[in-house]
Amino acid sequence: MGTIALQLYSIDGVDDETATKVEEVADAGFDGVEFAGIDGSDRDVAEALAETGVEAPSAHVGLEELENDLEGVVERYADLGVSEFVVPYLPPEHFESREAIEETADRLSAVAADLPDGTRLHYHNHDHEFVEVDGEPALVALLSLTDDVLLEPDLGWIGTAGHDPVDFLEEYTDRVSLVHVKDYEDGGQPVEGGTGDLDLEAVAEVADREGMEWLIYEHEERQDSYETARNGAGYLAPYR
């Protein structure tokens, strides 16, 4: 079985600094956190990670920030144990044509090529990357145009886009080490873990078999409550 983490955006609305959130996430039962920015002192965050034993494998960082200050970003997060950098979002216009996809692929590949040894770049999808371009989903085209960019598949958004999350995970096992577990309603929006249609048992089986390192929970509602973290930990705990 794998290890489980919380994408801290899930509790973005809680009025605490990141160090306190790390402590609460540890109490909820997670093994790790994925950063979505840091509020407060980096030193306090590092101390909270050390004291709780929680790991920080990855961080969501915007593409422009990576392009403009890659060395600074890598240095800052290295002090917190982060070695995986994830571009969390690019607007739909980056995927609306073959030319746009090629430009997006070139930008991501350039950042990936400049990362130091031991660090990697991932792209995190929503549903708009599944628009059909020249007969295939734009995300599939993006993957075919990049060799050194990994995918952090958001399973909820894959399902919302009308694709089977487990089948997609099976198809791209060689490009995945971080899996965003987000439950969803068939044909609808992401929902709280355990209340939707995601086959988490099948997801965990694929992740375990293929050596995917982290199952990372994310939920985009009730971000102002630590109950979101506790529910997510309970949802993923049987598959750690």
Side-chain angles (χ1 to χ4, degrees):
M1 292 295 183
T3 41
I4 64 173
L6 180 72
Q7 164 51 249
L8 289 179
Y9 182 70
S10 303
I11 51 174
D12 185 64
V14 176
D15 190 21
D16 282 331
E17 293 188 343
T18 300
T20 300
K21 291 179 179 180
V22 168
E23 294 167 355
E24 292 288 341
V25 167
D27 287 343
F30 283 100
D31 306 305
V33 295
E34 180 176 67
F35 293 117
I38 294 175
D39 295 320
S41 161
D42 289 6
R43 177 180 294 180
D44 288 346
V45 174
E47 290 177 355
L49 292 169
E51 290 171 2
T52 61
V54 166
E55 297 180 56
S58 53
H60 279 195
V61 183
L63 179 56
E64 289 189 1
E65 184 177 354
L66 291 168
E67 290 173 325
N68 294 335
D69 187 22
L70 186 62
E71 184 177 347
V73 169
V74 171
E75 182 178 350
R76 179 188 190 190
Y77 281 103
D79 291 340
L80 301 174
V82 172
S83 60
E84 313 289 335
F85 295 94
V86 186
V87 174
Y89 176 82
L90 288 171
E93 56 264 30
H94 288 74
F95 303 93
E96 63 187 4
S97 67
R98 182 72 182 184
E99 182 180 10
I101 298 167
E102 290 174 353
E103 181 180 346
T104 299
D106 288 345
R107 291 178 66 188
L108 291 169
S109 294
V111 171
D114 287 342
L115 281 171
D117 291 344
T119 60
R120 300 186 294 185
L121 185 70
H122 307 244
Y123 181 73
H124 167 270
N125 67 277
H126 290 72
D127 57 346
H128 61 263
E129 295 93 342
F130 287 88
V131 62
E132 292 281 324
V133 176
D134 296 337
E136 67 178 353
L139 184 61
V140 171
L142 180 71
L143 292 172
S144 72
L145 292 167
T146 55
D147 294 325
D148 50 0
V149 179
L150 300 176
L151 176 68
E152 180 180 66
D154 188 306
L155 303 181
W157 284 120
I158 292 173
T160 298
H163 294 259
D164 185 288
V166 179
D167 288 348
F168 194 89
L169 196 60
E170 288 268 22
E171 181 71 18
Y172 294 101
T173 54
D174 61 331
R175 304 291 289 271
V176 177
S177 64
L178 310 172
V179 182
H180 252 215
V181 176
K182 183 183 293 173
D183 207 353
Y184 70 101
E185 292 178 345
D186 190 21
Q189 295 297 307
V191 297
E192 188 169 291
T195 67
D197 298 313
L198 182 65
D199 187 347
L200 182 55
E201 183 175 358
V203 168
E205 181 180 338
V206 175
D208 186 44
R209 184 180 72 237
E210 300 297 334
M212 298 174 185
E213 298 169 27
W214 288 89
L215 297 178
I216 302 174
Y217 183 75
E218 183 181 32
H219 187 44
E220 296 173 348
E221 297 179 2
R222 298 192 65 201
Q223 294 174 308
D224 60 351
S225 172
Y226 284 122
E227 189 65 24
T228 299
R230 289 188 286 271
N231 288 342
Y235 178 53
L236 292 187
Y239 303 100
R240 68 193 316 178

